[in-house]
Amino acid sequence: MRRLISVIISLILMASFYLYAVMREDDETKRTEQWVVAAEQDALSANGGTVSTEGRALARVMGAAIPLPQTLTAGEVRDDSWHGYYARRLTATDGQTRVTAVRPLSAAPLIRKDALTFAPGGRSLFGFPLLEAQDDLAHYAFLVTQEAAVMIETPLNQFEPLLQGMQLVTN
């Protein structure tokens, strides 16, 4: 008889805590917006590309904010293909630093080198965490912005100062 009474009291207590939690629930505690699926990005179409040493012109054609060196000696955006759909690829350099970017993000393997092993370096650039790798000649930093994947290649011994000289160019 005592066990039956203790089971009934336990069930009543659990039901009361459940009712209390349900009654206290509001929009802030639900946080339903964190589970909303974002709309799919529009597919890119061919744009013919451009060649320029102007960072803003390259970012505009790319359609994304891109970290670039302060002054460019060469820059190009061209159409590419990834799994049957259009991708946009940017290549820019100031003579020492080489920046390669691709849009959409799913086409990031186009710019990552297979022979390199990337690892978190504990650094970030413009708030985007960097994955870093190096070989005998160069230091590589890989980052992902909201719309593009970016690879930055610098000479091995000049990574820090060249990375500090970058600017985020918006379209």
Side-chain angles (χ1 to χ4, degrees):
M1 188 68 155
R2 286 185 180 188
R3 287 187 184 183
L4 182 61
I5 293 174
S6 66
V7 167
I8 291 173
I9 291 174
S10 297
L11 290 174
I12 291 172
L13 280 172
M14 286 190 307
S16 65
F17 282 123
Y18 177 76
L19 287 174
Y20 176 74
V22 168
M23 290 174 29
R24 294 277 302 157
E25 189 174 44
D26 61 1
D27 287 336
E28 186 175 322
T29 58
K30 285 183 186 178
R31 294 188 183 154
T32 55
E33 67 275 358
Q34 75 183 15
W35 303 108
V36 175
V37 176
E40 187 175 321
Q41 290 182 338
D42 294 333
L44 295 175
S45 58
N47 71 353
T50 189
V51 175
S52 177
T53 57
E54 176 76 29
R56 286 202 191 281
L58 295 172
R60 187 173 31 260
V61 173
M62 189 70 175
I66 303 291
L68 292 171
Q70 296 283 339
T71 56
L72 297 175
T73 57
E76 174 187 20
V77 176
R78 62 182 169 92
D79 294 330
D80 210 332
S81 176
W82 177 252
H83 290 286
Y85 56 88
Y86 282 108
R88 218 161 266 144
R89 186 188 293 209
L90 172 138
T91 306
T93 185
D94 66 353
Q96 293 182 319
T97 304
R98 181 171 187 239
V99 176
T100 309
V102 69
R103 240 188 106 204
L105 294 174
S106 60
L110 285 173
I111 62 172
R112 288 192 56 178
K113 298 187 180 203
D114 293 334
L116 298 174
T117 302
F118 286 88
R123 299 176 228 216
S124 65
L125 184 64
F126 305 113
F128 304 111
L130 295 176
L131 294 176
E132 298 178 36
Q134 63 185 30
D135 59 15
D136 295 336
L137 302 173
H139 193 104
Y140 303 90
F142 181 81
L143 65 105
V144 177
T145 67
Q146 287 90 357
E147 299 157 336
V150 182
M151 172 82 81
I152 302 169
E153 179 181 343
T154 64
L156 198 55
N157 58 353
Q158 298 176 353
F159 178 69
E160 286 288 332
L162 291 175
L163 200 62
Q164 291 174 1
M166 301 288 284
Q167 63 180 348
L168 186 63
V169 180
T170 58
N171 52 351

